Amino acid sequence: MALLSVQGIHTAYDRVNVLHDVSLDVEPGKITCILGSNGSGKTTLIRSILGLTPPNQGDIVFEGASLVRLPTHEIIARGIACIPEGRRIFPKMTVEENLRTGAYRLSDSAEITRRAMQVYELFPRLKERRTQLAGTMSGGEQAMVSMGRGLMGKPKMLIIDEPSLGLSPLYVKENFRIIREINGMGITVLLVEQNVRQTLVIAHHGYVLSQGRMAASGTTEELSADAEVQAAYFG
Amino acid sequence: MSLDIFSQYLINCLMLGMIYAMVAVGFTLFFGVLDVIQFAHGDVLMAGGFGALVAYAATQAVGIANSWVQLLLMVVSTTVMTAALGALVARFLVLPLRNAPPLNTLLITLMMGMVLREAVRLVYPNGSNPQPFPSLLPHDAWRVGGLDLRVDSLILLVVGLLLIAGLHLLITRSKLGLAIRAVAQDGETARVMGINFNRIVLLTFGLGSAMGALGGVMRGLYYTEITFDVGLLLGVIGFAAAILGGLGNLYGAILGGFLFAVLQAIGAVALPVLLPDFPSAYKDVFAFTVVIVLIGWKPTGLIAEKTSERV
């Protein structure tokens, strides 16, 4: 059974209908990707799942229970975490405080410290800078903070929205390596990307959004082979 | 000027600065989490002060005579009452208007302040006139090196400083403080981290209101008097102090509060000495004029948003 199942949702944003009858399944333990150009509705889909812009129709089911109409913090409490587009770190908090916001729902301080240690193991750079204000760091380092923060909640499913946006090619490559590593820890990943080729390499299953509708879906091998999809959406 | 009078003015100035800081902190917290100006803040404090008076009357009615117990009950009831009032204002006036133009929030809270003010004036017996505030702290004075130090002033100063330090620790060290700062810096991302946005907003409004009300009770104990319109001037001064320090910045608000008190003291004491024709009653005229000039010079406040930590 799918871990997350989006079932025919319609979502309006500022009164304009952005998503039309969109469905998708995220299989547990896999990396599922959503591809699509700018303005195709990828971010609105993520916002719908997180309850920031709830759908008007359709259902979103996580582990068999509906998420629709739940406030965002309760959706997060079900075991979902998000590394938002543009990283959205808290600029006037230290690296360590940023990580602690990611474990906000947890009250066991020993466990929070243990998880922070795991994040520092994954990103040694953050350990060196744990008392630095996150807003004063470089874009690549902020991306690490955002990733680490997303991992602090030990989510069952991690949503990663456009992680390579605005990063240098070196960091982009590093990012994809880390996403694979996160998936290797047993965390299900829902990855939103514009960077088609590298995404198809690491993902297992993919969906293509176009103008608010699901245009294609399949395993990444199928999507890579589909000449029509290639021509239409990936250029 | 004799040392004795100077020390009196100094203590007075510190006391006022602390009270202003405690009011200003509320404005800055509210602006921090929701980017709104809560103009009923001063009147929430006034209502807290009158609530403390009612609590005092109640302790007398049930025969509690120990002034420490009376004081404790007054402080507890005013804290609970204003925290609830502040949270109610947030829940029913400010949060529903989150997507409306900010001017509407300003206007609706301004009107709420008027409602509170007029309601207290009309409902409280003889509410139009100043009400005596019980002076419950010991009146002993210590003679230290030619200075008279009054115990009640010292207690108020120490308690005020402890409250401000406690608020600082709460914001910088506690989990609630982490959530308040997260909401202040990026409300939507705070929600995505699993923080209950509305709950944090209500707690922040409760916290800021209670802090201000304690400042109001301290003012009552210091001047042994309270009026129904005390929130008007206190609110404007607290707001001016918060803006002066840099709205949204906790330390700016504290700095602004003390700075305003210093300006008042200069207007009341120093200027009449230098200019014989300057009556000390002009202290507020002087203080607000300087604030206007300072804000003209530094429009974003003395501790500018960019370089400092917002809330």
Side-chain angles (χ1 to χ4, degrees), chain B residues 186-199:
Chain B
D186 186 340
E188 190 168 283
T189 303
R191 288 163 70 188
V192 172
M193 294 303 121
I195 294 170
N196 184 339
F197 180 90
N198 283 0
R199 188 166 154 260

Side-chain angles (χ1 to χ4, degrees), chain A residues 47 88 97 104-106, chain B residues 175 181 185-186 188 194:
Chain A
R47 292 180 64 88
R88 305 279 287 264
E97 287 173 330
Y104 181 76
R105 306 210 55 91
L106 198 73
Chain B
K175 193 165 181 173
R181 284 184 293 150
Q185 289 176 30
D186 186 340
E188 190 168 283

Side-chain angles (χ1 to χ4, degrees), chain B residues 47-305:
Chain B
F50 275 86
L53 277 190
V54 173
Y56 175 69
T59 60
Q60 281 186 318
V62 297
I64 297 171
N66 183 314
S67 59
W68 293 108
V69 177
Q70 289 177 318
L71 196 58
L72 181 73
L73 289 173
M74 285 166 75
V75 165
V76 169
S77 56
T78 196
T79 305
V80 171
M81 190 191 123
T82 45
L85 195 53
L88 285 174
V89 168
R91 172 68 185 79
F92 292 105
L93 298 182
V94 182
L95 278 175
L97 285 183
R98 253 180 83 209
N99 297 320
L103 264 180
N104 296 14
T105 309
L106 198 146
L107 194 67
I108 202 170
T109 54
L110 204 64
M111 292 188 287
M112 182 66 205
M114 245 173 223
V115 167
L116 283 174
R117 202 153 59 236
E118 283 302 292
V120 167
R121 185 172 77 87
L122 296 169
V123 171
Y124 200 84
N126 191 22
S128 302
N129 293 317
Q131 303 297 318
F133 203 91
S135 123
L136 294 169
L137 293 170
H139 295 288
D140 318 297
W142 293 329
R143 192 113 192 116
V144 182
L147 298 180
D148 272 330
L149 290 180
R150 285 182 50 170
V151 173
D152 51 357
S153 304
L154 285 180
I155 291 176
L156 289 175
L157 276 177
V158 170
V159 168
L161 286 178
L162 286 178
L163 282 171
I164 289 176
L167 182 69
H168 163 76
L169 287 178
L170 181 78
I171 298 287
T172 54
R173 298 284 163 81
S174 75
K175 193 165 181 173
L176 174 63
L178 187 74
I180 291 175
R181 284 184 293 150
V183 166
Q185 289 176 30
D186 186 340
E188 190 168 283
T189 303
R191 288 163 70 188
V192 172
M193 294 303 121
I195 294 170
N196 184 339
F197 180 90
N198 283 0
R199 188 166 154 260
I200 294 301
V201 167
L202 297 190
L203 284 172
T204 307
F205 271 69
L207 180 69
S209 301
M211 190 76 184
L214 290 174
V217 169
M218 285 170 61
R219 190 189 177 285
L221 289 169
Y222 189 63
Y223 288 112
T224 62
E225 186 184 275
I226 184 170
T227 56
F228 76 96
D229 60 355
V230 67
L232 211 53
L233 189 61
L234 214 51
V236 173
I237 290 177
F239 181 49
I243 296 269
L244 188 60
L247 202 54
N249 183 296
L250 200 62
Y251 310 108
I254 295 165
L255 176 75
F258 280 100
L259 189 61
F260 195 90
V262 168
L263 291 174
Q264 276 184 322
I266 293 174
V269 189
L271 282 184
V273 174
L274 298 171
L275 310 164
D277 293 333
F278 190 95
S280 63
Y282 275 76
K283 64 182 189 341
D284 285 343
V285 175
F286 172 75
F288 276 114
T289 307
V290 174
V291 169
I292 290 169
V293 171
L294 282 176
I295 290 175
W297 173 52
K298 289 226 171 214
T300 52
L302 296 175
I303 304 182
E305 232 328 59

Side-chain angles (χ1 to χ4, degrees), chain A residues 212-231:
Chain A
R213 292 169 199 280
M214 214 45 105
S217 70
T219 65
T220 44
E221 289 81 16
E222 288 165 0
L223 286 178
S224 303
D226 191 329
E228 202 180 327
V229 168
Q230 287 278 353

